Amino acid sequence: MRPPELDPLFAPVSTQPGIGPKLAGLIARVAGRETAEETRVIDLLLLAPTSIIDRRRRPGIALAPPGTIVTLDVRIDRHEPAPRGRSNVPYRVFAHDDTGEIALTFFRAKAAWLDRLLPVGENVIVSGKVDWFNGRASMVHPDHILALAEAAAMPLVEPVYPLTAGLSPKVLRRAIEDALGRLPQLSDWHEPTLKARNTFPAFAEALADLHGPHVAGDIDPRAPSRRRLAYDELLAGQLSLALVRQRVRRLPGSPVVGNGRLVGAIVQSLPFRLTGAQQAAIGDVAADLARHERMLRLLQGDVGSGKTAVALLSMATAVEAGGQAVLMAPTEILARQHFATISKMIASTDVSVEILTGRASSRERAAALGRIADGSAQIIIGTHALFQESVTFANLLVAVVDEQHRFGVHQRLRLTAKGTAPHMLVMTATPIPRTLVLAAFGDMDVSRLDEKPAGRQPISTVSLPDERIDDIVTRLEAAVGEGKKAYWICPLVEETDASDLMSAQARHKTLSARLGPAVGLVHGRMSGPEKDAAMQAFKSGQTQVLVATTVIEVGVDVPDATIMIIEHAERFGLAQLHQLRGRVGRGQEASSCILLYKAPLSETARARLSIMRESEDGFRIAEEDLKLRGEGELLGTRQSGTPGFRLASLEAHGDLLELARNDARYVIETDPELKSARGMALRTLLYLFRRDEAIRLLRAG
Ligand code: ADP
Ligand code: MG
């Protein structure tokens, strides 16, 4: 249960004065929440300003630089209303100070309101942007107009928040002020010594600084109050991950030890030799499984490094030990592909494989669930979503999660929160830098596949403007004639009026006109069986060109496809381009990748394409991506709407991450149930940063 003193912070923003459902929806967008209902007062408190407006400049009218914000002390001379019926002509109020004259300009303003606000002969304070036109100064819609007596009420330095159309800065600032007023007295969750060493102010003080900056330096991420809040957020993240880990580890686990029978048979029948890195990873997993503690291991391997084989051999160990294993994939296409590959790899053994996807009829599903429950299904493959529901296993020992970067941290928590907590192997192709692994996954053990299978050839990558598309099609035609296979990626499924992007459907049509029936199509709006048929046709060679959207981005494995053409490459992020390119170069043949772009390229798009040309090293690409885009997107969190970090930036606060990790570890060692005074305060911290799923684990365990 959330401590009741936090209730005011978890009221929907729509309960705040002046915030109706419509504004709440707009605030949701700014705060990165899905719905207005989910958007709570605390979200406003944790919304960081991006800059400030400084109103301290008071140069006098004549010396006000054009385009800058100034504050002026002026006397009102006369009103010049718009002529009747001409609403496009502004209402002007002329005023002066010792240095000159200025026109305060209002469009569609009510005369009565202006009369009251700007009485002729009175002195007022106005603040806003000054423009100069033909030697005359004007200020259109001043941000603030105050009588002299109220001048002190005007904020001289104002925070500026990210905005969305329809939400005025004033409304947002007022709502944040109201939110600050609701902050209850909270006892601090940080050790006094740590606070002192880092000159952290109290939480309430840090929030007050965040929303009430005095100078630009106050919103600098390195300011002590910003660092304090970043540390709060990082600690909440590390602590929740540490709690999950503790829970997983604490569940009684008997060592899973295989006899080598299946693993040996599978390795024998593989059409290739395992790389040294694959063998080392399999060794890591086997050692983990043999322990009394539960495994929590991350397998990092660039696209095409052969993670599937490691997954299969890990699962085979579970089967040898008399148990079951699951493999969870992020998409249906991938689940089916894994099912097909793995069925082939174990063909020489008596292991039974089951596939469980959303597409099964209810009868098939019931039958599959029956086999999973009675243990006759030994390796179970499915989409991640399915395992969130209640699937009962006879004896689940190992769970493998493929392409983890697609899932948020929260989904992982949910999975582990379920009754069964098997040994976990999490696989990701995103070669996440170490700090990000720590931030997103916590203290996981990591195995790396840093060695490509032997015989791989470099992929030659070029970028071309889309005027060259005819040349490309001609070359593609020749390649198809030689029996080669190609992917052709388009950013959209259908043509939309709003966009001049070439859609997959339209491209499929034009390519079919040239190349005939060798051209297939797969996209996200197709039914499951249609997608399967398209993938199957491409795999078997019935089609040789597969026009696709990014449904094939992750994991798809057709080793004899050697050409990747990406249309509107400027639209894709680096990580995505790397993933897409990773669909080729998976066999012995030389491969190529053509990045077609629409000119003119933005600065970042140009940088992305040149990094792609220069490097095939997923790690380097990820680091460049981090520089270009920021960490949230790299983990796929921004796209999927999972809240990433609001206040912490790993670039600015990397040092704090390490600190937070050690702090979390210390807490778990000394107060595993969060029962001490500090432990209770830390629970509050988890709630504030919405990491409270971890608290539920405490109670359950
Ligand atoms: P990813 O790490 O991207 O999931 P996959 O497991 O799909 O990679 O493997 C990519 C391709 O490489 C597959 O066709 C697979 O059969 C092949 N492969 C895996 N391991 C090896 C190896 N040691 N030698 C040669 N080919 C391999
Ligand atoms: Mg894979």
XYZ file of all heavy atoms in Angstrom, residues 353-405:
394
model
N 8.968 -29.918 -28.983
C 8.895 -28.448 -29.008
C 7.450 -28.041 -29.228
O 6.739 -28.642 -30.036
C 9.698 -27.854 -30.177
C 9.984 -26.388 -29.914
C 10.960 -28.618 -30.391
N 7.050 -26.990 -28.532
C 5.677 -26.499 -28.633
C 5.739 -25.031 -29.026
O 6.614 -24.314 -28.560
C 5.034 -26.623 -27.249
C 3.575 -26.308 -27.202
C 2.738 -27.474 -27.715
O 2.973 -28.617 -27.306
O 1.860 -27.205 -28.550
N 4.810 -24.597 -29.886
C 4.748 -23.155 -30.140
C 3.429 -22.616 -29.619
O 2.389 -23.249 -29.757
C 4.942 -22.812 -31.633
C 4.866 -21.289 -31.810
C 3.930 -23.501 -32.521
C 5.563 -20.775 -33.037
N 3.514 -21.470 -28.980
C 2.329 -20.876 -28.376
C 2.273 -19.424 -28.833
O 3.093 -18.618 -28.434
C 2.476 -20.947 -26.857
C 1.268 -20.569 -26.010
C 0.129 -21.527 -26.222
C 1.664 -20.560 -24.537
N 1.344 -19.125 -29.726
C 1.240 -17.729 -30.178
C -0.216 -17.300 -30.127
O -1.115 -18.123 -29.961
C 1.749 -17.532 -31.620
O 0.763 -18.023 -32.516
C 3.074 -18.203 -31.850
N -0.426 -16.029 -30.304
C -1.772 -15.483 -30.232
C -2.668 -15.997 -31.347
O -3.869 -15.792 -31.329
N -2.076 -16.657 -32.318
C -2.847 -17.028 -33.483
C -3.556 -18.369 -33.335
O -4.434 -18.708 -34.111
C -1.889 -17.098 -34.663
C -2.542 -16.664 -35.929
C -1.633 -16.951 -37.063
N -0.467 -16.094 -37.080
C 0.635 -16.420 -37.746
N 0.718 -17.565 -38.384
N 1.652 -15.594 -37.741
N -3.138 -19.150 -32.351
C -3.719 -20.483 -32.202
C -5.227 -20.387 -31.950
O -5.693 -19.458 -31.299
C -3.036 -21.200 -31.039
N -5.983 -21.350 -32.477
C -7.410 -21.405 -32.163
C -7.534 -21.783 -30.692
O -6.591 -22.292 -30.084
C -8.095 -22.457 -33.027
O -7.714 -23.754 -32.592
N -8.721 -21.573 -30.139
C -8.823 -21.824 -28.699
C -8.636 -23.313 -28.404
O -8.147 -23.678 -27.341
C -10.137 -21.288 -28.153
O -11.196 -21.806 -28.908
N -9.009 -24.168 -29.385
C -8.817 -25.598 -29.130
C -7.338 -25.964 -29.148
O -6.836 -26.647 -28.259
C -9.591 -26.434 -30.145
C -10.340 -27.565 -29.448
C -11.029 -28.493 -30.422
N -10.143 -28.898 -31.499
C -10.552 -29.071 -32.762
N -11.798 -28.866 -33.076
N -9.703 -29.443 -33.690
N -6.625 -25.431 -30.162
C -5.184 -25.679 -30.236
C -4.490 -25.170 -28.984
O -3.615 -25.805 -28.418
C -4.578 -24.948 -31.446
C -4.914 -25.550 -32.780
C -4.588 -24.592 -33.934
O -4.444 -23.360 -33.698
O -4.478 -25.066 -35.047
N -4.936 -23.994 -28.588
C -4.334 -23.355 -27.437
C -4.530 -24.196 -26.188
O -3.591 -24.428 -25.424
C -4.963 -21.980 -27.264
C -4.307 -21.153 -26.219
C -4.921 -19.758 -26.169
N -4.632 -19.168 -24.869
C -3.443 -18.697 -24.536
N -2.461 -18.704 -25.402
N -3.234 -18.224 -23.327
N -5.751 -24.668 -26.009
C -6.041 -25.487 -24.833
C -5.170 -26.739 -24.846
O -4.618 -27.145 -23.809
C -7.525 -25.851 -24.799
N -5.030 -27.332 -26.026
C -4.217 -28.552 -26.129
C -2.759 -28.243 -25.783
O -2.113 -28.971 -25.027
C -4.325 -29.134 -27.531
N -2.259 -27.117 -26.328
C -0.867 -26.740 -26.059
C -0.673 -26.475 -24.567
O 0.294 -26.944 -23.958
C -0.496 -25.509 -26.873
N -1.611 -25.734 -23.979
C -1.502 -25.434 -22.547
C -1.503 -26.726 -21.736
O -0.799 -26.844 -20.732
C -2.637 -24.516 -22.101
C -2.529 -23.071 -22.591
C -3.749 -22.257 -22.179
C -1.251 -22.412 -22.070
N -2.300 -27.707 -22.201
C -2.346 -29.004 -21.524
C -0.975 -29.673 -21.558
O -0.474 -30.157 -20.536
N -0.347 -29.650 -22.731
C 0.974 -30.295 -22.857
C 2.041 -29.545 -22.050
O 2.981 -30.134 -21.555
C 1.385 -30.377 -24.327
C 0.587 -31.412 -25.119
C 1.178 -31.620 -26.511
N 1.008 -30.459 -27.359
C -0.043 -30.236 -28.148
N -1.028 -31.122 -28.175
N -0.128 -29.162 -28.890
N 1.846 -28.235 -21.927
C 2.803 -27.462 -21.120
C 2.602 -27.783 -19.640
O 3.545 -27.936 -18.876
C 2.630 -25.948 -21.387
C 2.982 -25.627 -22.841
C 3.497 -25.120 -20.437
C 2.605 -24.230 -23.296
N 1.340 -27.928 -19.266
C 1.033 -28.182 -17.856
C 1.432 -29.592 -17.433
O 1.848 -29.804 -16.289
C -0.456 -27.952 -17.596
N 1.304 -30.576 -18.345
C 1.637 -31.943 -17.904
C 3.092 -32.309 -18.201
O 3.537 -33.417 -17.910
C 0.652 -32.971 -18.500
C 0.843 -33.174 -20.004
O 1.908 -32.794 -20.537
O -0.075 -33.708 -20.650
N 3.812 -31.369 -18.809
C 5.250 -31.591 -18.976
C 5.621 -32.306 -20.260
O 6.800 -32.521 -20.533
N 4.630 -32.675 -21.078
C 5.007 -33.363 -22.320
C 5.616 -32.391 -23.333
O 6.362 -32.808 -24.212
C 3.830 -34.142 -22.913
O 2.692 -33.318 -23.036
N 5.320 -31.108 -23.199
C 6.045 -30.114 -23.999
C 7.300 -29.730 -23.229
O 7.221 -29.320 -22.073
C 5.185 -28.889 -24.237
N 8.460 -29.878 -23.882
C 9.709 -29.642 -23.143
C 10.329 -28.279 -23.444
O 10.794 -27.587 -22.550
C 10.702 -30.765 -23.460
C 10.214 -32.097 -22.922
C 11.037 -33.256 -23.437
O 11.116 -33.511 -24.644
N 11.672 -33.963 -22.514
N 10.322 -27.905 -24.725
C 10.783 -26.558 -25.080
C 9.581 -25.819 -25.640
O 8.895 -26.323 -26.536
C 11.929 -26.609 -26.109
C 13.186 -27.158 -25.427
C 12.190 -25.220 -26.698
C 14.393 -27.247 -26.340
N 9.279 -24.674 -25.080
C 8.094 -23.936 -25.495
C 8.537 -22.587 -26.050
O 9.301 -21.864 -25.410
C 7.117 -23.730 -24.319
C 6.714 -25.090 -23.747
C 5.884 -22.971 -24.774
C 7.235 -25.390 -22.393
N 8.047 -22.282 -27.252
C 8.444 -21.036 -27.909
C 7.202 -20.197 -28.131
O 6.166 -20.727 -28.543
C 9.129 -21.348 -29.251
C 10.406 -22.152 -28.970
C 9.457 -20.060 -30.012
C 11.018 -22.751 -30.191
N 7.278 -18.929 -27.851
C 6.094 -18.099 -28.058
C 6.415 -16.632 -28.022
O 7.564 -16.233 -27.841
N 5.360 -15.846 -28.213
C 5.564 -14.405 -28.114
C 5.530 -14.015 -26.642
O 4.858 -14.645 -25.835
C 4.470 -13.636 -28.880
O 3.220 -14.196 -28.558
C 4.709 -13.702 -30.358
N 6.237 -12.964 -26.355
C 6.391 -12.528 -24.982
C 5.046 -12.292 -24.302
O 4.818 -12.671 -23.161
C 7.208 -11.239 -24.990
C 7.592 -10.774 -23.639
N 6.758 -10.024 -22.869
C 8.709 -10.970 -22.920
C 7.360 -9.769 -21.729
N 8.547 -10.334 -21.736
N 4.119 -11.699 -25.064
C 2.820 -11.335 -24.493
C 2.136 -12.538 -23.862
O 1.494 -12.425 -22.822
C 1.940 -10.739 -25.578
N 2.300 -13.679 -24.483
C 1.570 -14.850 -24.006
C 1.994 -15.298 -22.623
O 1.226 -15.872 -21.883
C 1.779 -15.994 -24.984
C 0.907 -15.816 -26.205
C 1.350 -16.734 -27.294
C -0.535 -16.081 -25.819
N 3.237 -15.016 -22.311
C 3.709 -15.508 -21.026
C 3.349 -14.574 -19.891
O 3.664 -14.811 -18.754
C 5.210 -15.772 -21.089
C 5.526 -16.895 -22.018
C 5.921 -16.649 -23.306
C 5.356 -18.208 -21.600
C 6.178 -17.686 -24.179
C 5.608 -19.248 -22.470
C 6.018 -18.992 -23.771
N 2.683 -13.492 -20.266
C 2.230 -12.604 -19.198
C 0.928 -13.127 -18.617
O 0.517 -12.760 -17.544
C 2.017 -11.206 -19.753
C 3.232 -10.748 -20.513
C 3.609 -9.341 -20.199
O 2.858 -8.607 -19.584
N 4.791 -8.958 -20.599
N 0.235 -13.941 -19.412
C -0.996 -14.529 -18.891
C -0.629 -15.757 -18.080
O 0.512 -16.120 -17.937
C -1.905 -14.938 -20.047
C -2.281 -13.783 -20.935
C -2.840 -14.283 -22.252
O -3.274 -15.456 -22.299
O -2.811 -13.519 -23.220
N -1.672 -16.398 -17.597
C -1.379 -17.543 -16.739
C -1.146 -18.795 -17.570
O -2.064 -19.420 -18.063
C -2.554 -17.767 -15.791
O -3.719 -17.957 -16.553
N 0.116 -19.106 -17.742
C 0.485 -20.367 -18.358
C 1.089 -21.192 -17.227
O 1.976 -20.726 -16.543
C 1.533 -20.160 -19.474
C 1.924 -21.488 -20.099
C 1.010 -19.199 -20.523
N 0.573 -22.390 -17.045
C 1.108 -23.216 -15.963
C 2.079 -24.236 -16.530
O 1.770 -24.915 -17.508
C -0.032 -23.980 -15.251
O -1.185 -23.149 -15.264
C 0.354 -24.335 -13.843
N 3.231 -24.279 -15.912
C 4.250 -25.212 -16.364
C 4.350 -26.388 -15.409
O 4.107 -26.233 -14.208
C 5.610 -24.519 -16.412
C 5.670 -23.401 -17.420
C 5.354 -22.101 -17.051
C 6.043 -23.657 -18.726
C 5.409 -21.073 -17.967
C 6.097 -22.633 -19.655
C 5.783 -21.337 -19.273
N 4.717 -27.549 -15.942
C 4.948 -28.689 -15.062
C 6.217 -28.436 -14.254
O 6.247 -28.597 -13.042
C 5.086 -29.969 -15.883
N 7.259 -27.985 -14.926
C 8.545 -27.818 -14.244
C 9.447 -26.896 -15.061
O 10.369 -27.349 -15.728
C 9.188 -29.202 -14.046
C 10.500 -29.103 -13.283
O 10.755 -28.107 -12.604
N 11.333 -30.128 -13.415
N 9.142 -25.608 -14.993
C 9.892 -24.646 -15.800
C 11.222 -24.318 -15.132
O 11.246 -23.798 -14.024
C 9.080 -23.367 -15.999
C 9.775 -22.272 -16.817
C 10.054 -22.752 -18.238
C 8.938 -21.001 -16.831
N 12.317 -24.622 -15.809
C 13.629 -24.386 -15.211
C 14.351 -23.196 -15.832
O 15.071 -22.489 -15.143
C 14.502 -25.642 -15.349
C 14.003 -26.898 -14.623
C 14.969 -28.060 -14.869
C 13.848 -26.644 -13.130
N 14.171 -23.000 -17.121
C 14.929 -21.944 -17.802
C 14.001 -21.109 -18.683
O 13.174 -21.665 -19.410
C 16.050 -22.562 -18.680
C 16.691 -21.496 -19.569
C 17.112 -23.221 -17.792
N 14.118 -19.797 -18.589
C 13.383 -18.908 -19.491
C 14.383 -18.052 -20.250
O 15.272 -17.450 -19.657
C 12.424 -18.020 -18.711
N 14.236 -18.014 -21.567
C 15.100 -17.176 -22.385
C 14.234 -16.086 -23.009
O 13.181 -16.375 -23.569
C 15.776 -18.000 -23.516
C 16.731 -17.117 -24.313
C 16.492 -19.208 -22.942
N 14.659 -14.844 -22.863
C 13.929 -13.733 -23.465
C 14.787 -13.193 -24.605
O 15.902 -12.740 -24.382
C 13.678 -12.611 -22.439
C 12.771 -11.550 -23.041
C 13.059 -13.172 -21.174
N 14.253 -13.278 -25.833
C 15.042 -12.857 -26.994
C 14.807 -11.383 -27.288
O 13.715 -10.873 -27.100
C 14.661 -13.698 -28.217
C 15.660 -13.510 -29.361
O 16.785 -13.031 -29.108
O 15.313 -13.847 -30.497
N 15.837 -10.720 -27.769
C 15.750 -9.325 -28.202
C 15.113 -8.455 -27.130
O 14.150 -7.752 -27.335
C 14.978 -9.219 -29.524
C 15.548 -10.074 -30.639
C 16.952 -9.663 -31.085
O 17.460 -8.647 -30.574
O 17.531 -10.376 -31.905
N 15.701 -8.541 -25.979
C 15.164 -7.882 -24.800
C 15.040 -6.376 -24.959
O 14.192 -5.744 -24.341
C 16.063 -8.193 -23.601
C 15.706 -7.453 -22.336
C 14.388 -7.904 -21.783
O 14.084 -9.070 -21.791
N 13.593 -6.959 -21.290
N 15.877 -5.750 -25.808
C 15.841 -4.297 -25.851
C 14.500 -3.768 -26.305
O 14.199 -2.608 -26.183
C 16.951 -3.757 -26.758
C 16.708 -4.012 -28.206
N 16.864 -5.239 -28.764
C 16.290 -3.196 -29.190
C 16.561 -5.168 -30.058
N 16.218 -3.938 -30.342
